[in-house]
Every structure is written in structure tokens, then in C-alpha cells.
Amino acid sequence: MRTVITLLLLMFINVTAIAQNATLKVGHLINPVTGTISENKVIKIENGKIKAISNYEDLNESMDFIDLSDAWVTPGLIDCHVHLTINLEYGKFDIYRKYLEDSNAYRALFGAENAKQLLYGGFTTIKEIGSDGDYITADIIKAIDNKLVEGPTIIYAGKIIAPYGGQLKNINSTHEGFWNYEFIDADSKDEIRKAIRKNIYNGASCIKLVSGDQNYFYSKEEIRFAVDEAKKSGLKVTVHALNDDAAKEAILGGVAAIEHGIFLSDETLQLMKENDVFLVGTDLSLENWLAYGIPKEEAHYMYQKTLDRLKRAYSIGVKMAFGTDVIIDLKNKNRLESNYEILKTWKEAKVPALKILQSMTIDAAELLGVENTVGKIEIGYDADIVAFKSNPLEDIENISLVKLVIKQGVVQH
């Protein structure tokens, strides 16, 4: 099956771009660390890396250069919670039926299209967080690396590791293990070790655990074991947790991040801050919640809980990395456009535009362990660069106005 998927991706699109040298004439260069904007800069790229940053005076007008003199330029954006290969019908949260209907091959093609959309939208790095069938994303990564399709650099979780049952409920015993299409049951330290090693073998570059979606969850000792096992291979562990009890065990177990955390108390958020644990809040907008087809009252409730937790996390000073978690495209919108809706939640929570941009660049890079190569426009860093038509520090939704995207020195869009 994996070979079939790769062949299908080869037929899907042929990308021939290779790392290049380039000179950029930049009108407004945004530093996400400080929020300062440097005017009239020249960025030289060699072999996919940033070679030099200088002033217009150093630009020889006879040279070939890319003119971004009217653009606002930032490091490439990062989304820390993506599901490339799954899309449910609007208003129908029927994931069981989709598992039966959509083949790995179809989901690979769908995921490759989503990957291209995200790249063209300025997201040069993403964390693919699982729910991708039989390691579908591993083949998408391979296709991107081999220039068969266009897409961002992908940090990949592999199959989601969870206590018995994954995140699925009410599966009758005749179909026991139905969830193993996208989850690995792990209820002991030996099973956790084997699950981590299986994921690494199949291409994972981070590890995701789910804790608390059933009536049982991992202890801090079990979490610590997973963290230590993953660390042997240089991988970080992130944990999906919605409520305090499961999240506290994960935090004390030494995880890098909590995903979602919708119902976390101030006490737990403070514990995250004290233990240097990131929140990847996946702060869905009201429109994103309504897409699930749940009653309007429930959608409003979930949105208000999400909004309140985001406000409190920002106020307390929890480290935050941007993540979307969209698995249902909005009406008349693609995946990228549906992801943009999350920005409305951040804005309503009164999080400053600079802080949001930091969560998409330097902070996200730190969480993913790539802060020495991406997340900044500095000499020696990968030339992951995005240019916008309007200033995102004036309105963060201006990131939808993309003029140009460069990934590792290659002009993408």
C-alpha cells in the first residue's frame, strides 16, 4: 500500500524546483523577537540559507533580485497542530464512516493538496499530529523531500498512542480494535516503548499521546517513561488533554506541550508556566465549531470555553504555539482558508498581533526543537521566508494576503 501511495503522489504533481541562490529587496523586514520593523533591507540567500542581511546601498541595481520593496517580510509561519489527511463533511462528525470509505491512497492525495495550500499560505513548517491512517503522512513527507509534491517541512507524530480504545467510544466488542487504524493501544510501559519505537520506525519525528478521553488516563510515571524513551531518539512528547486531571499528570511527567486544554483551570495553566510546558490551544472559532454539526448552543459553549482558556493562558504567561486542528473545511473554503478562522479567536481574546506572530514563528520553533534553523530571519538560518501585502502587526489576519513564499531558498508562490 505504501508503494501505491507514493506512485499516486508521483502522478499527482511533478515539482522540479531545487534549492537556489537569490537576492531579496525587502521594504519592511519584521523581527518577531522584538516586533521591530527594519526598512529597506537586502537579504542574500545561498544554498537555501540566509547568507547576509544588508541595506539597499549594498544592492547593485544591475543584479537580478526579487523585488519585495512594497511587502512586509517575516520568517516562514509554523502551525503546530495539523491533520493533513482527514476531512469530514460539513455538519457531519461521522469519522467512523470516513474510516471505511476513504482509502489511504485517496487520503494521501487529499493530504498532498492540503500540504501545498498551507505552503502557499506561508506555512513553511507544520507539525502533523496524527489521525492519518496507516502512516500516510510518511509518504507525503517522502514525496515532498523527493520534489514530487509541494509542501512544508513536516514534523510528524505518526500514529497516536493512547490507553485502550484510542479516542473512539461505543465500538461494540465484535469490532474490537477498529480504532487501530489510527491509534496504538498502549497500557503498560512495555507497550508504550513498543508504540514509540514503531512510530519512529515508520518516520515519526515527535510523539503524541492521548490522555483523558476515556475514563482512564496516563499517570505521570507513565508519561515520564514515554518522555524518556522518546528522548533517547531525540524526539519530544506532546499530549492531547482536555481536562485538569490528565493534563496535570502529563505536565508533571515532563511533556513538551499540552494540545487543546480547553477546560484547564488557572491552577493547571500556572503549573504549565512553572514547568515550561507549551500550550497548543487549537483555538477554533465559532464557525469552526459550528462545522461539526453540533447544536448551536453547544457550539457557542465550546467557543466560549476555548476563548476563556486562551485569555487566561495569555494573562498567566503560558508559552503558546499556534495550532489549528481543522478537520472540517468550512463552506466554500479550503483547508488554508478554514484555518485562518482561528485567528478570529485570538483577536477576540485580545492577544496582540505580535504575540500571535511569535506563536507562529519563534515560539513554535522552540516547541518543535528547530529554533536554531527556522523561526527567524538571521544569517545561517534556513531561508524560510514569507512576504505579505499588508502589515500583519497592524492586523494579524493580514497573513492571508500572501505575496511570496520561499522555503529553504526556493520560491514557492
Side-chain angles (χ1 to χ4, degrees), residues 187-236:
D187 291 290
S188 67
K189 291 181 178 179
D190 284 343
E191 289 178 344
I192 291 171
R193 179 191 291 112
K194 185 173 183 179
I196 291 172
R197 291 180 178 179
K198 181 177 180 180
N199 276 344
I200 295 172
Y201 181 86
N202 284 286
S205 47
C206 67
I207 297 297
K208 177 186 176 182
L209 306 180
V210 161
S211 193
D213 276 25
Q214 306 292 350
N215 293 326
Y216 34 82
F217 50 85
Y218 288 122
S219 68
K220 61 178 178 291
E221 290 80 15
E222 291 167 325
I223 296 288
R224 174 60 66 184
F225 180 84
V227 169
D228 290 343
E229 182 64 30
K231 188 176 181 180
K232 294 175 185 176
S233 299
L235 277 61
K236 293 186 177 185

Side-chain angles (χ1 to χ4, degrees), residues 1 45 59 77 111 116 122 132 187 250 285 302 367 377 399 408:
M1 176 59 73
I45 299 170
L59 183 65
L77 306 179
K116 183 174 73 172
D132 71 321
D187 291 290
S285 73
M302 293 302 295
L367 169 60
I377 296 179
I399 70 165
Q408 295 174 354

Side-chain angles (χ1 to χ4, degrees), residues 44-227:
K44 291 186 178 180
I45 299 170
E46 288 188 9
N47 299 318
K49 299 282 187 180
I50 297 171
K51 177 68 174 180
I53 302 173
S54 58
N55 299 317
Y56 274 12
E57 290 78 11
D58 299 319
L59 183 65
N60 183 344
E61 293 293 338
S62 65
M63 297 169 50
D64 290 331
F65 61 86
I66 298 172
D67 190 356
L68 300 174
S69 57
D70 61 348
W72 282 259
V73 171
T74 74
L77 306 179
I78 303 173
D79 187 334
C80 289
H81 195 116
V82 174
H83 298 286
L84 286 175
T85 69
I86 188 168
N87 187 52
L88 307 184
E89 294 180 37
Y90 185 90
K92 296 181 181 179
F93 187 66
D94 191 358
I95 196 166
Y96 301 168
R97 180 173 63 83
K98 296 295 283 186
Y99 285 168
L100 294 172
E101 290 183 353
D102 291 351
S103 68
N104 279 350
Y106 175 81
R107 291 179 66 178
L109 294 173
F110 181 84
E113 172 60 24
N114 280 339
K116 183 174 73 172
Q117 288 175 17
L118 294 181
L119 178 62
Y120 282 15
F123 289 89
T124 53
T125 303
I126 64 171
K127 180 173 69 174
E128 218 297 341
I129 202 69
S131 295
D132 71 321
D134 188 22
Y135 296 105
I136 298 169
T137 302
D139 280 308
I140 295 175
I141 294 170
K142 184 177 180 181
I144 291 171
D145 289 345
N146 288 321
K147 308 296 189 292
L148 306 180
V149 300
E150 297 169 285
T153 301
I154 300 177
I155 308 299
Y156 177 44
K159 288 196 176 186
I160 299 168
I161 302 169
Y164 180 86
Q167 291 177 262
L168 276 61
K169 296 184 178 180
N170 302 318
I171 303 296
N172 69 65
S173 59
T174 302
H175 301 291
E176 180 182 16
F178 175 76
W179 52 86
N180 290 331
Y181 176 50
E182 294 201 334
F183 296 88
I184 302 177
D185 289 332
D187 291 290
S188 67
K189 291 181 178 179
D190 284 343
E191 289 178 344
I192 291 171
R193 179 191 291 112
K194 185 173 183 179
I196 291 172
R197 291 180 178 179
K198 181 177 180 180
N199 276 344
I200 295 172
Y201 181 86
N202 284 286
S205 47
C206 67
I207 297 297
K208 177 186 176 182
L209 306 180
V210 161
S211 193
D213 276 25
Q214 306 292 350
N215 293 326
Y216 34 82
F217 50 85
Y218 288 122
S219 68
K220 61 178 178 291
E221 290 80 15
E222 291 167 325
I223 296 288
R224 174 60 66 184
F225 180 84
V227 169

